[in-house]
Amino acid sequence: MLIMLGMLGVFYAIVIFILYTTQQKSSPTFDEYSVGGRSYGPWYVAMSYVNSWWPGSVFIAFFGLASGAGVFGLYGLAYSSLGVAMMYFMATRAWRWGAKYNLRSQPDLLGLRFNSRGTKVVASVIGIVSLFPWVVLGMQALGEVFQIASAGAWSVTTCLFVGLAVIVIRQYWTVKMGMRGLIMTDMFQGIVAYVFSAALCLILLSGIAGGPISFGTLGDVADQYLRVPGDGDSYGPFYLFALIFTGVVGSLCWPTSFQRIYTASSVRAVKSGTIRTVLISGVFYSLLMLVGIASTVMPAVADSPQTGWFTIMESYGGTWLLGLGATMVFAASMGHIDGSVQVCGLQIANDLVNSEKRQLTDSQLTKVAKGSMLAFMAAAAIVAYATFNMTRLQLLAQISYQGVVQLAIPLFLGVFWRGGNGKGAVAGMVSGFVTALVLTAIYPDDIAGLGSLTGGVVGMAVNLAVFLIVSKATGTTAEEKARVNEMFEVGKRPTRIAPVDLSFEDQIEELATNPAPEKI
Amino acid sequence: MKEYIRGLSRKSIMMFFGSIYALALLVALFPPLYMWSSGIRFEILGIPFAIMYWLINGVVLGLTLWGLYIVEDIRGELDEDLLPATTPLTGE
């Protein structure tokens, strides 16, 4: 017990040390506080994205999916790689609009694109409400980490209290430093959670560690673990489609994901960061799932797939490896909670409290953001404690996923298409969100009558239809069309070929004859 | 090679990489395809095809994005301080 708690303690101390040494002495501007002054390079963007993408439950729920249902677990690889790739295609326009119009959040972009405060507020509320259950689940996961680390010596309540205390203390720095407080530790947390675990999975699968699983075991798993849902079970053929589809479009709908575009120093940093995100994420998740599928041959894992990660750690390396495994879950949970708390505080201040009529100064915005983060975190901590033994919270998280993807319609159409208007966007999002909410409450998993589609996909269809109909019915003024056209001009990529092969003297001559344009 | 890539139109580049991305989407989202892969035990590098199906899709997608990044880098389309389109700089 002391060894495992000690490992968690050392990890935590390093996180606090990094925060302490990298904090700024002067008070930051709101731009600095909210998006890190748009100054971070590709590795920081990538690590921050990976941290906000994979919660600690990737080692519990997703691992449980692989060790309980086999190849089904790999659907996460498909949706995360395809989804993160969408960021690449959206990067140029979204980043340029961000820099040109000083955007700090995803609802900021929607509000600007549709020239509508309603769109901004609705999008922001959907994002915040949807993230809330995940923060609560993340806090509860930390309680479970301490249950493992204390080897059952601490009561459930004590473990939850310790988990909450640890994350609440950590958030002092998130509140104080804003985006900088995340970025600086995401690198360390990410290495522990995703890079170390990927290396560990590779060692286990290589067979050099001995024990019952290896790459070779994958060929021996039972038939049932090689079948996807819909192939001989109660699910219809569209179940997997619905899960991957909502995952792909939802990847940029999560406020935490989109904000990574605005923390980047350039379009190059976003795109380069995206490549790294796909690499880290893909390698880590694939190896984790392969270990999960291979471990179906272990009776102890088959009996309790959700705790499979910890079972494997303990059976391979005893207390030390179990402690390391728990630290990885701890790191992943912390990174996810940090990102969520930060972006929700930012959105409350920037999108909901600040407005044309009630314009806040930089320092007021920062204060409101700090207060909002504290309130958001306190509310999540209270709910985490009150609902620790409730399974319905998992359902709420499922509903939130189906709900947040409703942002995709105005977001994707708004960035890639010049049509539509604010009234259509608001009506579409509200109707889609309500449809998804009601359907998912009635059919938490799938809708059998629709080939196992999920409520979120049906909600998106309603959302799209309402968006197009209302936009068409209410029309767009010539002035608004001109404004949108101007925005799209700003987002156009450079068409000129770079002077890659020019000599230094030629480049100077080139610059002298073609002075650089004003930076956007 | 670099000259050839610079000489291509933006449209043809996007057609090429967009098609591969669309194919990767199809592999993950089209039920007849993923249902076809389900349960196949035939091994590639010791891993059953039912599992390899998803791994290959991820690898293809990652390489496609990486390829697009390299191409955009060669064409100078990634940097913000580039000059607007005027006369070509390569002397062509």
Side-chain angles (χ1 to χ4, degrees), chain A residues 180-520:
Chain A
R180 190 179 169 82
L182 306 187
I183 296 263
M184 290 301 156
T185 50
D186 277 346
M187 188 66 76
F188 174 64
Q189 288 167 180
I191 288 171
V192 172
Y194 314 108
V195 180
F196 280 12
S197 61
L200 186 58
C201 289
L202 197 61
I203 291 169
L204 296 182
L205 288 167
S206 70
I208 57 173
I213 64 164
S214 67
F215 277 112
T217 322
L218 290 165
D220 302 330
V221 299
D223 278 349
Q224 71 198 77
Y225 297 115
L226 294 180
R227 291 208 189 100
V228 295
D231 182 14
D233 54 26
S234 58
Y235 288 112
F238 292 112
Y239 185 60
L240 204 51
F241 160 82
L243 291 186
I244 297 175
F245 183 71
T246 44
V248 173
V249 297
S251 64
L252 279 179
C253 293
W254 290 108
T256 39
S257 303
F258 204 86
Q259 210 201 8
R260 301 302 168 258
I261 293 177
Y262 295 145
T263 55
S265 59
S266 63
V267 170
R268 179 188 282 275
V270 181
K271 291 193 168 181
S272 181
T274 304
I275 308 283
R276 287 164 167 82
T277 305
V278 172
L279 175 78
I280 300 165
S281 206
V283 171
F284 153 72
Y285 189 79
S286 300
L287 289 169
L288 187 72
M289 290 301 104
L290 290 182
V291 169
I293 296 170
S295 70
T296 54
V297 299
M298 294 172 69
V301 175
D303 286 346
S304 174
Q306 298 272 330
T307 56
W309 175 251
F310 299 111
T311 308
I312 291 171
M313 292 301 112
E314 195 170 18
S315 62
Y316 264 95
T319 307
W320 283 96
L321 203 57
L322 181 60
L324 188 62
T327 308
M328 288 166 185
V329 182
F330 187 43
S333 293
M334 194 183 274
H336 193 258
I337 295 172
D338 292 343
S340 304
V341 169
Q342 192 272 345
V343 80
C344 286
L346 159 70
Q347 287 200 178
I348 293 170
N350 187 64
D351 310 332
L352 304 183
V353 179
N354 194 32
S355 71
E356 292 263 310
K357 288 178 193 161
R358 189 181 45 226
Q359 277 202 332
L360 304 182
T361 63
D362 239 33
S363 86
Q364 283 173 323
L365 273 169
T366 311
K367 276 181 194 157
V368 174
K370 286 182 177 180
S372 308
M373 283 180 208
L374 279 175
F376 184 84
M377 190 175 46
I382 291 167
V383 175
Y385 178 71
T387 61
F388 192 52
N389 291 316
M390 278 172 66
T391 50
R392 300 292 291 177
L393 197 68
Q394 192 69 41
L395 172 63
L396 210 59
Q398 270 172 268
I399 294 178
S400 76
Y401 205 94
Q402 306 298 331
V404 81
V405 295
Q406 304 310 323
L407 299 181
I409 301 294
L411 190 63
F412 285 88
L413 290 180
V415 171
F416 293 115
W417 183 51
R418 299 179 192 217
N421 65 24
K423 291 188 183 80
V426 170
M429 279 191 289
V430 172
S431 54
F433 189 78
V434 172
T435 306
L437 195 91
V438 172
L439 284 177
T440 315
I442 301 169
Y443 307 101
D445 203 7
D446 65 318
I447 304 169
L450 297 175
S452 285
L453 281 180
T454 55
V457 176
V458 180
M460 283 180 75
V462 172
N463 185 345
L464 176 65
V466 172
F467 175 78
L468 294 174
I469 292 166
V470 173
S471 293
K472 182 82 179 164
T474 51
T476 310
T477 63
E479 193 187 340
E480 176 59 10
K481 278 181 186 160
R483 195 188 67 84
V484 173
N485 282 338
E486 193 191 320
M487 277 186 76
F488 274 73
E489 284 305 309
V490 169
K492 269 193 179 169
R493 65 179 58 250
T495 51
R496 177 179 175 276
I497 303 301
V500 178
D501 294 337
L502 288 183
S503 67
F504 183 65
E505 289 77 15
D506 288 344
Q507 286 184 40
I508 292 174
E509 197 179 319
E510 175 63 31
L511 278 168
T513 48
N514 291 304
E518 257 183 65
K519 270 197 170 187
I520 54 168

Side-chain angles (χ1 to χ4, degrees), chain B residues 15-35:
Chain B
M15 278 286 286
F16 177 76
F17 287 102
S19 303
I20 305 177
Y21 182 74
L23 194 69
L25 268 177
L26 202 68
V27 166
L29 292 173
F30 191 50
L33 280 178
Y34 60 68
M35 285 300 179

Side-chain angles (χ1 to χ4, degrees), chain A residues 70-280:
Chain A
V71 72
F72 180 24
L74 280 164
Y75 93 91
L77 173 68
Y79 87 71
S80 47
S81 49
L82 284 161
V84 173
M86 284 306 296
M87 181 151 122
Y88 191 97
F89 297 113
M90 216 181 240
T92 304
R93 203 164 280 165
W95 189 88
R96 287 187 176 189
W97 284 350
K100 164 88 175 171
Y101 302 107
N102 196 25
L103 306 178
R104 292 153 179 154
S105 67
Q106 174 206 60
D108 238 1
L109 181 140
L110 285 170
L112 172 83
R113 167 62 184 83
F114 293 106
N115 197 17
S116 148
R117 174 152 171 82
T119 308
K120 183 172 170 175
V121 169
V122 170
S124 194
V125 170
I126 290 177
I128 295 165
V129 167
S130 302
L131 266 181
F132 188 77
W134 290 92
V135 175
V136 173
L137 284 173
M139 288 179 167
Q140 293 178 342
L142 286 182
E144 288 170 33
V145 166
F146 280 96
Q147 273 184 288
I148 301 282
S150 66
W154 291 352
S155 71
V156 173
T157 314
T158 309
C159 291
L160 184 60
F161 264 123
V162 173
L164 286 178
V166 163
I167 199 67
V168 167
I169 292 167
R170 162 68 181 89
Q171 299 311 307
Y172 166 78
W173 303 95
T174 308
V175 172
K176 188 177 181 210
M177 295 167 68
M179 179 50 80
R180 190 179 169 82
L182 306 187
I183 296 263
M184 290 301 156
T185 50
D186 277 346
M187 188 66 76
F188 174 64
Q189 288 167 180
I191 288 171
V192 172
Y194 314 108
V195 180
F196 280 12
S197 61
L200 186 58
C201 289
L202 197 61
I203 291 169
L204 296 182
L205 288 167
S206 70
I208 57 173
I213 64 164
S214 67
F215 277 112
T217 322
L218 290 165
D220 302 330
V221 299
D223 278 349
Q224 71 198 77
Y225 297 115
L226 294 180
R227 291 208 189 100
V228 295
D231 182 14
D233 54 26
S234 58
Y235 288 112
F238 292 112
Y239 185 60
L240 204 51
F241 160 82
L243 291 186
I244 297 175
F245 183 71
T246 44
V248 173
V249 297
S251 64
L252 279 179
C253 293
W254 290 108
T256 39
S257 303
F258 204 86
Q259 210 201 8
R260 301 302 168 258
I261 293 177
Y262 295 145
T263 55
S265 59
S266 63
V267 170
R268 179 188 282 275
V270 181
K271 291 193 168 181
S272 181
T274 304
I275 308 283
R276 287 164 167 82
T277 305
V278 172
L279 175 78
I280 300 165

Side-chain angles (χ1 to χ4, degrees), chain B residues 35-78:
Chain B
M35 285 300 179
W36 163 74
S37 78
S38 178
I40 298 181
R41 296 202 77 98
F42 173 74
E43 288 182 17
I44 300 174
L45 299 173
I47 298 176
F49 183 76
I51 297 171
M52 248 330 182
Y53 179 85
W54 299 98
L55 297 182
I56 290 170
N57 200 39
V59 170
V60 166
L61 191 81
L63 292 179
T64 303
L65 271 191
W66 194 10
L68 180 57
Y69 180 82
I70 292 168
V71 165
E72 288 186 339
D73 193 22
I74 289 171
R75 291 166 60 86
E77 292 175 340
L78 295 170

